[in-house]
Amino acid sequence: MKEQQEKSYGHVLKYTSLFGGIQVLSIMIGLVRNKAMALILGAGGMGFNALLTSMQNFASQSTNLGISFGAVPRLSELHERDDDAALHYYIQVIRLWSIIAALLGVVFCVVVSPLVNLLSFTWGDHTLHYAMLALAVAMGAITGGETAIMKATRQLSKVAKTQILTVIATLVVSVPLYYYYGHSGVVPAIVLIAFSTMTITVGYSYRCFPFRFDFCRSMLRDGFSMIRLGIAFIVAAAIGSASEMAIRSYLNVVAGMDEVGLYNAAFMIAITYSGLVFSAMETDYFPRLSGVANNYEATNSVVNKQMEVSLLMLAPMLVALVSGLPLLVPVLFSSEFLPVVQMAQVAVLAMYFKVLTMPVAYITLARRLSVSFLLLETAYFVVLMLAIVCFYQLWGLWGTGLAIVVAHVVENVLVMGYAMWKYAYRLTSSVVRYALIQMVIGFAAYAITLLTEGWTYWITEAALTIVSTAYSVHILRQKTHLWERLRSKFRI
């Protein structure tokens, strides 16, 4: 039996930093690609890419059977038990079901392409474009299965290398296609990126576990538990992808492709780029939480530690992002995208609520209450869509940013309330204190963007960023040093 992972602040900080750092590297390389796309294709081209990518994500989430998530717990258990025979058998089960998911993805894309084209475009026939995404969806299913194998068997360094090489390949493949073919290169770029990702992932996974396939009917039966576990997570993700596609289609119909491109750029900055610390949730945090899911006291401890570390790491980034957006947007995209600054600045505030919600939301999955998780996620996406439609009519693009904040506040109330009622979950006083202090600093930084300008703006924002950073560093050092003293005293 392998040694159990430490459930300490030091452990949480280590792995959150590791995968957050990988995301930083990935994003830095991705920024070059986004900059090239903005300069070559413009807002309209980015909007076209966003619509196709939304469809790709929706099709993938609807047909990949949750393998990338559902396969991890069982395979991790076999890995921890050093049961090599069962481990290699279950890897064959995962690979068989990944092929089935790939075939489902192809059929789904071909069948729904005419309907999606009708709903999302008011000009031209883009049915073939949507149908060609079937190749990317199928390759994504294979990639998901192999990634699950590496995560479950703790090949985390290979997972990291795979992510970095994939981002580099994305840049090398896509930019020349955009440059030489313009909008016509968008679909080939999506397909070739999926092919590059699959090739890199399979290469690393097969080195650890060479391909060996001896089909038997029991593999189909033994995969059902994996599918049942992952299905709620994937259905929720599919609903999320569908809502994103619906939002972008709505903006395209009522305002045009340029507005879709602006919304997508602001969403990418506010939600995707600021979510660096969330990358460790599925890889490290969820397995630890699953191990204590039936112990209320231990669950509270694991959740609150993860929440504290994630909040303290994320908060200074949010303050810096809010204040630096007027400079960052022209650098990341072009001056054509300056209208997104106000939307992105208010949308960033939603991350203060998301970082408090996500660790608690995973309790429902860890306890295998899939229907409850699905209902909570669905409620969030319904609120998000309704809020964006209403607020866009009232306040335009800035209103969509405010709608994102409102949706995250509602989600936080629902998830926290359900966890307190169902699992006796309780926030610690330290979480409440850290959250209040960092939120006051963050909302003050946003208020400064509305009230001041010039040197007053930059000096004040810099001061708030320094205060937020200093506070987080002080608390994290205090927590980790305390743990080290305890380890030394008790020789843990």
Side-chain angles (χ1 to χ4, degrees), residues 19-71:
F19 291 103
I22 293 170
Q23 288 297 103
V24 170
L25 291 175
S26 299
I27 286 174
M28 289 177 65
I29 298 173
L31 291 178
V32 179
R33 173 174 173 262
N34 291 328
K35 177 72 173 181
M37 188 187 300
L39 293 176
I40 297 170
L41 302 181
M46 290 193 73
F48 182 52
N49 181 76
L51 281 173
L52 292 174
T53 302
S54 296
M55 171 57 185
Q56 178 193 0
N57 292 337
F58 174 57
S60 294
Q61 300 292 0
S62 299
T63 60
N64 66 15
L65 304 178
I67 294 171
S68 62
F69 179 83

Side-chain angles (χ1 to χ4, degrees), residues 11-134:
H11 176 86
V12 177
L13 181 60
K14 174 184 176 181
Y15 283 95
T16 302
S17 301
L18 172 63
F19 291 103
I22 293 170
Q23 288 297 103
V24 170
L25 291 175
S26 299
I27 286 174
M28 289 177 65
I29 298 173
L31 291 178
V32 179
R33 173 174 173 262
N34 291 328
K35 177 72 173 181
M37 188 187 300
L39 293 176
I40 297 170
L41 302 181
M46 290 193 73
F48 182 52
N49 181 76
L51 281 173
L52 292 174
T53 302
S54 296
M55 171 57 185
Q56 178 193 0
N57 292 337
F58 174 57
S60 294
Q61 300 292 0
S62 299
T63 60
N64 66 15
L65 304 178
I67 294 171
S68 62
F69 179 83
V72 172
R74 174 60 177 163
L75 200 59
S76 296
E77 179 185 350
L78 296 175
H79 175 67
E80 291 297 320
R81 283 166 34 190
D82 288 327
D83 190 342
D84 289 339
L87 179 73
H88 285 88
Y89 171 78
Y90 201 70
I91 287 174
Q92 292 187 69
V93 172
I94 294 171
R95 287 172 172 165
L96 171 63
W97 278 95
S98 296
I99 294 172
I100 294 173
L103 295 175
L104 287 174
V106 170
V107 173
F108 181 86
C109 283
V110 172
V111 170
V112 305
S113 292
L115 177 61
V116 174
N117 173 71
L118 182 65
L119 295 175
S120 58
F121 281 95
T122 57
W123 53 273
D125 185 359
H126 299 274
T127 302
L128 181 60
H129 292 151
Y130 283 122
M132 288 177 64
L133 295 177

Side-chain angles (χ1 to χ4, degrees), residues 260-488:
V260 177
L262 295 175
Y263 170 84
N264 191 66
F267 188 89
M268 186 184 303
I269 294 170
I271 307 301
T272 305
Y273 290 170
S274 60
L276 300 176
V277 302
F278 303 137
S279 58
M281 292 283 186
E282 184 177 337
T283 306
D284 173 62
Y285 167 68
F286 179 65
R288 288 190 293 112
L289 180 64
S290 298
V292 298
N294 294 317
N295 184 322
Y296 286 161
E297 183 177 349
T299 295
N300 283 352
S301 176
V302 170
V303 172
N304 285 316
K305 285 177 182 177
Q306 184 69 43
M307 193 182 296
E308 288 181 17
V309 172
S310 299
L311 173 66
L312 292 169
M313 290 185 66
L314 181 63
M317 302 180 198
L318 298 182
V319 178
L321 188 59
V322 167
S323 59
L325 278 172
L327 293 178
L328 286 174
V329 168
V331 174
L332 299 178
F333 301 98
S334 68
S335 57
E336 181 183 2
F337 289 82
L338 282 174
V340 310
V341 170
Q342 290 184 335
M343 173 198 164
Q345 284 176 323
V346 67
V348 166
L349 301 180
M351 293 297 96
Y352 284 101
F353 299 96
K354 184 174 182 178
V355 77
L356 298 176
T357 303
M358 281 192 68
V360 181
Y362 270 96
I363 302 176
T364 306
L365 276 176
R367 293 180 64 84
R368 308 297 192 266
L369 298 177
S370 55
V371 175
S372 298
F373 176 81
L374 182 60
L375 291 175
L376 290 169
E377 287 293 291
T378 301
Y380 160 72
F381 289 118
V382 169
V383 172
L384 178 64
M385 287 190 294
L386 293 176
I388 284 181
V389 170
C390 294
F391 289 11
Y392 182 80
Q393 294 291 335
L394 295 173
W395 299 297
L397 201 60
W398 179 84
T400 63
L402 182 61
I404 291 171
V405 177
V406 170
H408 278 82
V409 171
V410 172
E411 181 189 30
N412 181 263
V413 172
L414 291 176
V415 170
M416 287 284 190
Y418 183 80
M420 290 178 179
W421 168 67
K422 188 73 173 180
Y423 323 121
Y425 169 71
R426 294 294 180 267
L427 282 165
T428 61
S429 59
S430 57
V431 169
V432 175
R433 182 170 65 255
Y434 304 155
L436 287 177
I437 292 173
Q438 290 289 13
M439 281 186 178
V440 167
I441 297 172
F443 279 76
Y446 176 69
I448 295 299
T449 67
L450 303 176
L451 301 174
T452 64
E453 58 184 16
W455 284 108
T456 303
Y457 172 89
W458 292 112
I459 291 173
T460 307
E461 294 287 21
L464 289 173
T465 302
I466 292 171
V467 170
S468 178
T469 303
Y471 181 74
S472 289
V473 170
H474 170 71
I475 297 299
L476 288 173
R477 287 184 62 184
Q478 187 180 65
K479 295 287 186 180
T480 54
H481 286 178
L482 174 61
W483 174 250
E484 291 299 327
R485 288 197 297 268
L486 289 173
R487 287 184 63 185
S488 175

Side-chain angles (χ1 to χ4, degrees), residues 2-8 11 15 80 154 156 283-285 287-288:
K2 294 180 176 62
E3 183 178 356
Q4 293 184 347
Q5 295 180 347
E6 295 178 350
K7 297 175 178 64
S8 65
H11 176 86
Y15 283 95
E80 291 297 320
R154 290 304 182 188
L156 299 184
T283 306
D284 173 62
Y285 167 68
R288 288 190 293 112

